[in-house]
Amino acid sequence: MGPHIAAGDLNGDGRTDLVVGGTSGSPPRILIATESEQFPSGTVPELAEPAGVAMGPLLLFDADTDGRLDLLVTRTGADTQMGAGAYQPRLFLNRGGFQSAPLGTLPELSVSVGAVSAVDFDHDGDLDVFIGARVKPGEYPLGPTSALWRNEGGVFVAVDTPLADTGMITAAVTTDLDGDGWDDLVIATEWGPVRYWHNESGRGYQERPLGDATSGWWSSLAVGDFNGDGRLDVAAGNLGLNTTYQASPTAPAVLLHSNCTRRRANPTLIEAYFEEGKLYPRRELQDLSRQIRSLSRNYRRTADYAAATLVDIFEEETVANATRMDATEFRSGLFLSQGDGSHHFQPFIRLAQIAPITAMVTGDFDGDGQLDLALGQNDHSPIELVGYFDGGIGQILRGDGGGGFSPVSPRESGFIVPGSARSIVGLDVDGDRDSVLVTRNNAPALLFKHK
């Protein structure tokens, strides 16, 4: 899912520096901005440990209130052979260079992380941390345990919170969504909705509805006042409409997690789809029979398997008792604030649905005073049988200040991002207008500046 990226002033010179996370194919890097707008690259071997586990989302924040940005490194992946300790987040303190924080600074946590965010949720003057879990290795799609850590003098303590049971988290942003002076959390989930957790004046978080948010494969978030009403809106990236997967309230995409046979020790994952009101298995006979050997004996003709519903293939009780997840919305779009304080989902234009939106950032990219969106697209992580979700080349959406967006052609914008975009940040590298840095999986990062 990487490489991830974090941006901030690491050395106090007023310029934005960068930390690029490591993957299985490349080490993490520290990039320090210079007067010549260059980013000399240096590796920090200690950040890469343990070897073999990719770095997850990164967080630059002042953990010990000394005025310098420290670095929190999380881990991501699904390798069950590495052991729980391999997924433990690590804190590196900024001492003119990064040094590992003392043992016991962070609570124990062994999950693959999908998002991390700093928030002074209790208004005590130091930054606390939310760790959004994406998956517990080996247990997908069961909900992993997320964490809220309170900062107590530079040592972090786990807080008992309902945030722990939030589903498979892919993105999170800290923002005061209702304008009451307390930072809330907006969280994107896979096989779940975009979720709004309201800060109850430092006493904890309570979930509130985010308009008509429905279950999807949400993957990215950005916040801004897109309709000019003085209240914050939420932009959310989703799978899009250019894959073989389709979803609606009446015919959702379905995932079943069930022990389909007494002989199989571990539960089986079964993807399913609706046709004329009936559920059918999505995967072909050859693929599913690798998990459930009896299928190849029971269905010797592919045509018979193609005509069989889930209830025909498995016992009705097995289907009814399975853990079921539905996705009813695959469009990316905006949750726009309304006059009564609620939010209403407005999908992006059709062209923006051409590929999954895996990363997004706001900025005034054309200098007209209105917020625009830069979108990173495509996902190369699905298995070979499914294939790449690869219809986009990145996109700039020009905001009109009233909640509407129009696409800017690549010829005009110059923003072209082929391949699988993984992380995106806005930064000012020339003292002019917003620039954009995009990292890609299995490809070099790209920096876009104004001419």
Side-chain angles (χ1 to χ4, degrees):
M1 303 307 297
H4 296 271
I5 192 166
D9 182 4
L10 297 179
N11 55 9
D13 65 355
R15 301 184 183 91
T16 302
D17 310 305
L18 303 166
V19 182
V20 181
T23 67
S24 58
S26 61
R29 294 184 177 274
I30 308 294
L31 289 80
I32 302 297
T34 66
E35 292 183 6
S36 62
E37 301 175 18
Q38 301 297 312
F39 289 90
S41 177
T43 61
V44 182
E46 188 181 10
L47 297 184
E49 296 296 330
V53 182
M55 294 172 69
L58 308 172
L59 178 64
L60 284 171
F61 74 117
D62 187 2
D64 53 5
T65 63
D66 66 351
R68 292 178 291 196
L69 292 179
D70 307 302
L71 175 64
L72 181 66
V73 175
T74 69
R75 299 288 168 174
T76 187
D79 190 342
T80 59
Q81 304 301 314
M82 296 300 297
Y87 291 91
Q88 172 67 30
R90 296 182 65 189
L91 179 64
F92 294 88
L93 301 176
N94 189 341
R95 298 291 186 258
F98 286 124
Q99 300 176 6
S100 184
L103 190 65
T105 301
L106 302 181
E108 292 186 3
L109 186 69
S110 58
V111 294
S112 176
V113 176
V116 60
S117 185
V119 53
D120 182 9
F121 85 93
D122 51 7
H123 278 197
D124 66 351
D126 54 24
L127 289 172
D128 314 298
V129 173
F130 171 70
I131 302 282
R134 181 167 187 138
V135 67
K136 188 172 183 179
E139 297 187 11
Y140 180 94
L142 301 182
T145 300
S146 297
L148 179 64
W149 292 343
R150 177 186 284 114
N151 190 339
E152 297 186 356
V155 176
F156 291 83
V157 178
V159 177
D160 186 16
T161 172
L163 284 166
D165 186 21
T166 312
M168 296 184 289
I169 296 173
T170 58
V173 293
T174 301
T175 183
D176 183 6
L177 197 61
D178 62 350
D180 67 352
W182 295 83
D183 282 336
D184 312 306
L185 280 167
V186 179
I187 296 170
T189 64
E190 180 181 331
W191 290 105
V194 177
R195 305 179 70 168
Y196 166 33
W197 289 87
H198 181 258
N199 188 335
E200 299 292 307
S201 301
R203 298 185 301 273
Y205 287 91
Q206 182 177 4
E207 187 168 17
R208 293 186 178 182
L210 186 63
D212 39 8
T214 55
S215 179
W217 295 356
W218 304 100
S219 53
S220 56
L221 295 169
V223 173
D225 181 8
F226 301 116
N227 58 6
D229 66 353
R231 293 182 290 268
L232 291 175
D233 313 298
V234 178
N238 205 344
L239 179 68
L241 300 177
N242 192 27
T243 76
T244 58
Y245 291 86
Q246 304 297 319
S248 71
T250 56
V254 174
L255 181 67
L256 298 179
H257 182 257
S258 174
N259 195 331
C260 298
T261 173
R262 295 182 180 89
R263 295 182 179 180
R264 185 175 175 84
N266 298 319
T268 301
L269 292 177
I270 302 172
E271 291 184 277
Y273 67 96
F274 275 95
E275 185 175 302
E276 296 181 353
K278 297 180 179 180
L279 268 179
Y280 292 84
R282 173 174 291 277
R283 296 296 175 87
E284 295 179 356
L285 174 62
Q286 183 179 7
D287 179 58
L288 195 55
S289 62
R290 292 192 185 101
Q291 300 180 68
I292 306 171
R293 300 293 179 85
S294 61
L295 289 184
S296 58
R297 297 192 300 270
N298 296 339
Y299 292 91
R300 298 188 180 279
R301 297 176 63 245
T302 303
D304 294 336
Y305 173 77
T309 68
L310 279 187
V311 173
D312 294 332
I313 297 171
F314 307 106
E315 295 178 4
E316 185 171 357
E317 182 181 2
T318 299
V319 176
N321 292 336
T323 299
R324 173 172 160 172
M325 295 184 171
D326 290 7
T328 57
E329 179 64 83
F330 281 156
R331 295 174 297 178
S332 302
L334 298 170
F335 293 92
L336 288 173
S337 60
Q338 307 298 301
D340 60 0
S342 65
H343 289 75
H344 172 69
F345 181 66
Q346 174 180 298
F348 287 143
I349 56 172
R350 190 78 176 181
L351 186 60
Q353 313 294 346
I354 199 171
I357 298 176
T358 54
M360 60 171 65
V361 69
T362 63
D364 181 10
F365 302 119
D366 56 5
D368 67 352
Q370 307 297 341
L371 274 182
D372 311 308
L373 283 167
L375 310 178
Q377 297 177 312
N378 305 327
D379 188 353
H380 291 178
S381 64
I383 62 175
E384 184 177 355
L385 183 69
V386 175
Y388 287 172
F389 299 152
D390 199 15
I393 55 170
Q395 199 163 83
I396 297 291
L397 295 182
R398 178 181 285 131
D400 62 10
F405 286 87
S406 58
V408 182
S409 72
R411 184 186 299 273
E412 179 184 352
S413 71
F415 185 75
I416 300 174
V417 185
S420 180
R422 304 314 309 168
S423 188
I424 185 169
V425 295
L427 64 162
D428 184 0
V429 299
D430 54 12
D432 186 10
R433 294 208 303 272
D434 294 329
S435 302
V436 176
L437 178 73
V438 186
T439 62
R440 300 177 292 166
N441 194 253
N442 289 325
L446 300 173
L447 176 63
F448 296 91
K449 302 193 323 182
H450 287 279
K451 295 180 179 178

